[in-house]
Amino acid sequence: MNGNSLVSVVTPFFNAEKYFEAAIESVLAQTYDNWELLLVDDGSTDGSTAIAQRYAEQYPDRIYYLCHEQRQNQGKSVSRNLGITNARGDYLALLDADDVFLPEKLAKQVAILEAQPETVMVYGPTRYWYGWTGNSKDIKRDFVQPLGLPANTLFQGSHLLTLFLEKPGRLPCTCGLLA
């Protein structure tokens, strides 16, 4: 799918070397191809910085490396905000450095938002994958987080926030939303 709306994907990272490339590659593998990826260094001391800089050099028109002044560690929220401040997209997606997007995530969610212009955010279920370790005990822990609300439903105003507050533990995972 080749859409016109630019999606900004913000990925803060701190010492995420082990999983970081998988997260970046999951954005590169999207079937929706009008995106930018902002990699925000939160003061990493492992190989994460080199990975981010390598991808930014390889894809200079799509992937951007950002860091705090003097590469300080400011925390995930401040890092996300730095990415959001530099984002140019019509839509915003958040991806943690140890998470991945499925290949059609952006295509499906952009299509929903563009088909319903009154919608400001969409989210889907998140798979919690413990089985990556190969340990049979961990594989049994894998699960898909229920949405907590009826699927394919448009909520007006702040009603969705009220429902989330009434049902603790049923909030969407940041990597599952597009706003």
Side-chain angles (χ1 to χ4, degrees), residues 71-163:
R71 290 195 57 249
Q72 294 177 339
N73 176 265
Q74 297 286 319
K76 191 180 285 189
S77 295
V78 173
S79 296
R80 276 195 186 119
N81 286 339
L82 177 60
I84 292 167
T85 299
N86 286 276
R88 299 175 299 125
D90 303 295
Y91 299 119
L92 177 67
L94 304 173
L95 177 65
D96 288 345
D98 62 350
D99 291 336
V100 295
F101 285 161
L102 295 177
E104 294 186 357
K105 179 247 194 311
L106 295 180
K108 289 179 177 181
Q109 290 185 331
V110 167
I112 292 168
L113 289 177
E114 294 194 345
Q116 299 181 50
E118 70 278 13
T119 304
V120 297
M121 182 190 85
V122 62
Y123 78 96
T126 300
R127 177 187 220 179
Y128 288 82
W129 183 43
Y130 298 94
W132 62 266
T133 65
N135 183 321
S136 62
K137 290 180 183 178
D138 289 335
I139 292 169
K140 292 176 184 174
R141 294 176 55 209
D142 290 357
F143 71 98
V144 174
Q145 175 73 36
L147 295 176
L149 300 166
N152 303 314
T153 304
L154 180 62
F155 293 91
Q156 299 295 323
S158 62
H159 185 64
L160 184 60
L161 176 61
T162 302
L163 291 173

Side-chain angles (χ1 to χ4, degrees), residues 54-71:
R54 185 179 78 235
Y55 275 97
E57 288 172 11
Q58 189 174 357
Y59 301 95
D61 297 331
R62 303 191 81 169
I63 299 179
Y64 306 97
Y65 171 78
L66 303 169
C67 64
H68 303 291
E69 191 173 318
Q70 299 176 355
R71 290 195 57 249

